[in-house]
């Protein structure tokens, strides 16, 4: 965060609010400007201590900042990039928190006069809860943040600044191409989200929710996420999600056939392999 | 638990061990006999205070008991029922903890001389952890137990005894037909379990587990369950699970088509409906 005196956060919900709280908790001494479309929301974020200054227009809010973070749902990024472009200056570094990266990097290249000052970020932290009242200074601590500098041919200073932001919030960093990021997220986040929503719908149609227990609660937790946020994610990562859905459909058809045909040793092998893979992963995470 | 002085628990793993600990914690003063195939496992359950007496043969272990609970994986029930039948006496009430009920009730009717003393139970509590070392006196507290007395035309005394067992452990009770139970469980437990296992397999094949986060961890928690237990559940509830899998495949195909065709308002509506149904259910659970 060297040389950064003013940070602008566009969108002061759970993620944007947590960035503000986290910077403050880490002892960062600069000024945090929050931008929201609705005066009420952004003033609430200020009252909660997430930001120092509340604004409703992006232009003036980035004019004197050295770093701007787009933390709205993905659907608002394109308009935000245009507004940033209109107020751009050569000391401004730009990043985001979007869960899909190819489209965001492409949009940054189209919208910004100097896309090499944009570094795509995906801080992998969140909650199904929404709004600055659920913001948490430790939301990002210990979590993984994926950077996609290749997507905009980002410069060294930009990469160092954005890396510094996430490190200040306690995150671990890794770098992927936007395409690889999107393919991975489709597998471990977007597809499981769709499956959770569909499982809730199925159980609801069968009037089965009344007897659902803790397993169902965990399995479907993500389905309580904001539909606006998630619809934007599905739209933005459309091809990778469609591909992952086709693979899950195929897996389900195979499993159904095994079960229907009484190939129980194959059912067992599949369950055992899944347990093994998941247990190894959890152990690795906890190590 | 009136008139019950000795309870036999067949299978002293997580569930069986927790029944023992729970009875003790509730102040029940009778004797708890645990039966396990392996002397070592059942002795460990005794050392852990889950049971008072350790046995490896069902016959002698039920001869002087008034209540026996089958708490092994479902695949061991048929042999247990045969052993119970061989040692049966007219003061013995029999129940189980199986997650599928039609087959168990049918087997009880075939195996037992007097199936009206059998009451099918499904205490909806558990964990992906295994073994008596994870047994917990409060595992069942506040959870729902589904009884299926109709499946064996169970008698009043049997229903009262089995109800008393689960109430002593702090459970809420409800009654379903075995068929309805199995249909509901396929929707809220067995299908979500299969989906979780398949999602882990898919993410593993794509080398995506390294970037998986808390959402994936919750969504797939159940996939760390015992493959033997779960393979037995799938086998035992085969027709209802196959039916539910077909419905999920159809839902996924519809969702994929919506997304691929750019029908984003339908994607949004589906996510919004799922969130609504889940949030209402969670609120009801917490009320």
């Amino acid at each position: 965060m060297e040389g950064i005196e003013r940070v602008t956060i566009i969108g002061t919900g759970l993620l944007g609010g947590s960035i503000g709280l986290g910077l403050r908790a880490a002892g960062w001494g600069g000024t945090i400007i929050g931008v929201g479309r609705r005066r009420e929301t952004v003033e609430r974020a200020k009252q909660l201590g997430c930001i120092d200054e509340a604004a409703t227009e992006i232009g003036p809010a980035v004019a004197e900042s050295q770093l701007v973070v787009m933390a709205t749902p993905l659907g608002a990024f394109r308009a935000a990039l245009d507004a940033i472009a209109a107020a751009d200056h050569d000391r401004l570094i730009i990043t985001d928190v979007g869960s899909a990266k190819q489209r965001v990097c492409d949009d940054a290249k189209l919208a910004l006069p100097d896309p090499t000052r944009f570094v795509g970020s995906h801080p992998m932290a969140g909650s199904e809860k929404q709004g600055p009242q659920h913001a948490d200074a430790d939301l990002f601590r210990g979590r993984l943040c994926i950077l996609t500098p290749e997507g905009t041919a980002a410069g060294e200073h930009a990469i160092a600044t954005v890396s510094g932001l996430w490190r200040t919030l306690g995150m671990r960093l890794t770098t992927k191409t936007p395409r690889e990021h999107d393919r991975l997220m489709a597998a471990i986040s977007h597809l499981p989200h769709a499956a959770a929503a569909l499982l809730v719908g199925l159980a609801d149609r069968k009037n089965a929710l009344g007897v659902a227990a803790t397993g169902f609660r965990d399995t479907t937790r993500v389905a309580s996420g904001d539909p606006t946020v998630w619809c934007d994610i599905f739209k933005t990562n459309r091809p990778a999600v469609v591909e992952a859905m086709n693979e899950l459909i195929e897996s389900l058809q195979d499993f159904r056939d095994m079960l229907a045909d009484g190939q129980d040793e194959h059912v067992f092998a599949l369950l055992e392999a899944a347990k093994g893979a998941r247990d190894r992963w959890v152990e690795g995470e906890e190590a």
Side-chain angles (χ1 to χ4, degrees), chain A:
Chain A
M1 300 284 287
E2 212 175 313
I4 308 293
E5 285 156 22
R6 289 173 70 88
V7 171
T8 300
I9 303 170
I10 304 175
T12 53
L14 177 81
L15 292 177
S18 297
I19 293 171
L21 289 182
L23 284 177
R24 207 45 85 221
W28 182 71
T31 302
I32 304 165
I33 302 103
V35 190
R37 265 185 312 185
R38 294 197 314 154
R39 168 66 57 186
E40 193 189 318
T41 314
V42 75
E43 287 292 351
R44 191 162 52 156
K46 188 179 166 187
Q47 281 157 18
L48 290 162
C50 300
I51 56 173
D52 300 311
E53 296 176 16
T56 55
E57 296 289 332
I58 290 174
V62 301
E64 293 177 35
S65 287
Q66 294 84 39
L67 176 61
V68 54
V69 187
M70 301 194 294
T72 61
L74 283 162
F77 277 16
R78 185 57 212 258
L81 284 166
D82 288 339
I84 291 167
D88 192 35
H89 56 86
D90 62 10
R91 292 181 57 219
L92 187 63
I93 305 298
I94 306 129
T95 190
D96 74 308
V97 302
S99 305
K101 298 261 69 82
Q102 184 73 60
R103 248 283 288 291
V104 176
C105 289
D106 289 349
D107 282 353
K109 282 193 287 189
L110 285 172
L112 298 174
D114 176 10
T116 69
R117 283 187 273 106
F118 179 92
V119 184
S121 301
H122 180 198
M124 295 183 62
S127 160
E128 74 280 15
K129 291 174 185 155
Q130 295 147 37
Q133 67 276 22
H134 295 115
D136 175 0
D138 288 323
L139 188 73
F140 302 101
R141 185 155 304 285
R143 306 283 176 200
L144 189 67
C145 183
I146 303 178
L147 302 182
T148 59
E150 205 177 288
T152 49
E156 274 184 37
H157 172 59
I159 297 173
T161 301
V162 171
S163 299
L165 167 70
W166 301 119
R167 283 217 188 86
T168 301
L169 298 172
M171 301 200 85
R172 298 175 289 127
L173 297 180
T174 190
T175 297
K176 304 276 177 202
T177 64
R179 194 187 173 78
E180 176 67 359
H181 168 277
D182 288 1
R183 205 185 63 87
L184 293 169
M185 287 307 117
I188 60 95
S189 174
H190 309 166
L191 179 66
H193 191 101
L198 296 173
L199 286 167
V200 170
L202 193 149
D204 192 34
R205 285 196 300 280
K206 289 179 174 274
N207 290 316
L209 289 175
V211 296
T214 51
F216 189 80
R217 193 169 172 140
D218 286 355
T219 311
T220 63
R221 178 177 64 79
V222 294
S224 284
D226 185 342
T228 302
V229 168
W230 279 92
C231 192
D232 278 0
I233 291 173
F234 287 120
K235 284 156 68 175
T236 312
N237 200 21
R238 204 186 299 274
V241 176
V242 168
E243 190 197 312
M245 294 199 90
N246 279 328
E247 289 179 49
L248 181 60
I249 290 166
E250 228 173 276
S251 298
L252 276 161
Q253 286 166 337
D254 288 349
F255 190 97
R256 175 205 55 200
D257 291 345
M258 284 179 206
L259 190 61
D261 298 349
Q263 296 173 34
D264 298 330
E265 69 287 5
H266 288 115
V267 171
F268 179 83
L270 189 148
L271 296 173
E272 195 178 36
K275 174 180 168 58
R278 188 178 183 281
D279 288 354
R280 280 191 299 278
W281 166 61
V282 170
E283 265 170 47
E285 290 282 299
E286 285 169 0

